[in-house]
């Protein structure tokens, strides 16, 4: 069986930037085993499979090289950029059925795609020592003004604030320890960030998810949604600034990425989370 897989670089800041995703259209005939094998062959952090839905405009399932995940930000951006590029969708609003629920998609001009995420859920605040050791950092490298906290807008991540770009770039992750800690707390991985940025963004980030065979990821949409909510919750951004957030990621991998985020605040509470961007370099491969 030969399957056509489209590949795109989602959230790309430059032609060589972004996070590669695979997309398979008309995937209704594929079994779970088929999708898992295709994802492993593609080898990207996630591949999306687009199916028909009786609940939404599209049903989309997401697979890492070793397991299915409920939702994936960059693969969603890749999927709907591809659908727009092929003329299957036009500018406007759509819905996708996922394991994380039915979520809104906005297709804007220049194929900038925004995806709705779930409202934030805030979980445990973790001990600095345990996390610092797994990143080969000193505890003093971690910001004291902000907590290390598990947050989810669809997938649970540990959000870790560090003091500077220098600290962020000098991280030497212990992937075995990160995997063990991720399993212990039931999270996908670590989203490490600093408020010091290269291009006047909101934050500069790195993401590690070795438990899911993703040592480091160049752009992580779901984690960006969670981080946006965390920054609002802890007073780093306000209602006005939360409407137009820009996050940098992938620079440490030489894959510069730009992830957009927008929060809708009502009566001081987050009522809607949207994460956006575009994808470049559409190619076809057969597996």
């Amino acid at each position: 069986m030969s399957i056509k897989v489209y590949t795109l670089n989602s959230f790309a800041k430059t032609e060589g930037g972004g996070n590669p995703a695979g997309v398979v259209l008309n995937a209704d005939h594929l079994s779970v085993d088929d999708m898992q094998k295709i994802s492993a062959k593609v080898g990207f952090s996630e591949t999306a499979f687009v199916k028909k839905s009786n609940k939404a405009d599209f049903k989309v399932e997401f697979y890492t090289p070793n397991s299915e995940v409920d939702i994936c930000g960059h693969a969603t951006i890749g999927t709907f950029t591809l659908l727009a590029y092929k003329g299957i969708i036009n500018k406007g609003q759509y819905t996708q059925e996922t394991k994380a629920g039915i979520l809104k998609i906005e297709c804007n001009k220049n194929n900038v795609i925004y995806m709705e995420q779930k409202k934030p859920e805030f979980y445990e605040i973790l001990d600095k020592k345990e996390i610092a050791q797994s990143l080969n950092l000193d505890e003093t490298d971690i910001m004291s003004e902000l907590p290390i906290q598990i947050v989810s807008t669809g997938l649970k991540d540990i959000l870790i604030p560090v003091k500077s770009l220098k600290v962020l770039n000098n991280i030497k992750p212990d992937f075995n320890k990160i995997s063990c800690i991720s399993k212990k707390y039931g999270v996908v991985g670590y989203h490490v960030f600093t408020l010091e940025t290269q291009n006047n963004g909101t934050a500069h980030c790195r993401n590690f998810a070795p438990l899911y065979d993703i040592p480091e990821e160049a752009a992580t949409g779901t984690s960006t949604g969670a981080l946006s909510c965390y920054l609002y919750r802890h007073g780093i951004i306000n209602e006005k600034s939360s409407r137009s957030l820009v996050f940098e990621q992938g620079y440490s991998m030489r894959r510069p990425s730009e992830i957009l985020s927008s929060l809708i605040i009502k009566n001081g509470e987050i009522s809607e989370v949207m994460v956006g961007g575009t994808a470049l370099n559409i190619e076809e491969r057969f597996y």
Side-chain angles (χ1 to χ4, degrees):
M1 180 171 59
S2 181
I3 300 296
K4 182 189 290 186
V5 180
Y6 295 90
T7 63
L8 310 88
N9 292 341
S10 298
F11 299 121
K13 173 76 171 174
T14 64
E15 285 291 326
N19 193 0
V23 180
V24 178
L25 300 178
N26 305 313
D28 297 86
H29 65 290
L30 297 175
S31 68
V32 169
D33 188 55
D34 291 334
M35 291 186 287
Q36 189 61 76
K37 285 179 178 176
I38 292 165
S39 300
K41 287 179 180 177
V42 173
F44 294 157
S45 57
E46 276 91 4
T47 296
F49 296 84
V50 184
K51 300 182 176 184
K52 294 176 183 176
S53 172
N54 57 12
K55 300 177 181 178
D57 294 309
F58 303 92
K59 181 178 182 179
V60 188
E61 298 178 358
F62 304 93
Y63 284 79
T64 76
N66 71 3
S67 62
E68 186 179 9
V69 293
D70 290 350
I71 186 70
C72 173
H74 82 276
T76 294
I77 299 302
T79 295
F80 283 86
T81 299
L82 177 65
L83 292 172
Y85 174 79
K86 293 181 73 66
I88 297 170
I89 64 171
N90 300 304
K91 183 179 176 182
Q93 286 198 358
Y94 299 87
T95 53
Q96 68 166 344
E97 177 190 349
T98 74
K99 293 285 174 65
I102 295 175
L103 303 175
K104 181 173 68 177
I105 302 292
E106 291 181 359
C107 180
N108 298 329
K109 63 180 181 180
N110 301 322
N111 288 349
V112 175
I113 306 295
Y114 273 87
M115 60 170 287
E116 181 186 12
Q117 300 196 340
K118 295 177 73 175
K119 291 180 183 179
E121 295 179 278
F122 297 89
Y123 298 92
E124 306 102 292
I125 290 173
L126 306 184
D127 178 62
K128 276 187 184 182
K129 184 176 181 180
E130 180 180 37
I131 301 302
Q133 286 179 345
S134 67
L135 295 169
N136 285 301
L137 294 177
D138 291 325
E139 289 181 54
T140 56
D141 291 327
I142 296 172
M143 290 180 68
S144 57
E145 307 95 302
L146 291 171
I148 297 172
Q149 187 169 20
I150 298 171
V151 183
S152 172
T153 52
L155 297 175
K156 292 167 75 173
D157 276 298
I158 301 174
L159 305 184
I160 304 163
V162 299
K163 290 183 175 178
S164 67
L165 277 171
K166 182 178 180 181
V167 170
L168 190 70
N169 291 330
N170 286 341
I171 286 172
K172 294 180 174 58
D174 185 321
F175 293 124
N176 288 331
K177 286 183 179 177
I178 292 173
S179 292
C180 288
I181 291 169
S182 298
K183 192 171 183 180
K184 173 182 175 182
Y185 291 106
V187 303
V188 173
Y190 286 13
H191 202 61
V192 192
F193 71 93
T194 176
L195 300 176
E196 183 183 353
T197 64
Q198 290 192 197
N199 298 301
N200 297 315
T202 304
H204 193 105
C205 310
R206 295 180 70 181
N207 187 280
F208 308 107
L211 185 63
Y212 287 85
D213 288 346
I214 308 169
E216 183 165 3
E217 193 163 52
T220 317
T222 49
S223 301
T224 297
L227 178 56
S228 301
C229 297
Y230 166 102
L231 293 175
Y232 176 74
R233 171 103 168 206
H234 295 291
I236 301 301
I237 58 176
N238 58 32
E239 182 174 346
K240 184 178 179 181
S241 62
S242 70
R243 295 300 298 270
S244 183
L245 306 173
V246 180
F247 294 86
E248 303 167 359
Q249 196 179 326
Y251 287 73
S252 59
M253 304 170 69
R254 295 178 181 160
R255 299 191 66 89
S257 303
E258 182 176 272
I259 309 165
L260 310 176
S261 179
S262 178
L263 303 180
I264 305 298
I265 311 296
K266 292 184 179 178
N267 299 319
E269 296 295 324
I270 299 167
S271 66
E272 189 174 285
V273 184
M274 301 291 287
V275 171
T278 191
L280 303 176
N281 301 337
I282 300 173
E283 296 180 0
E284 296 180 10
R285 304 180 188 180
F286 288 88
Y287 292 88

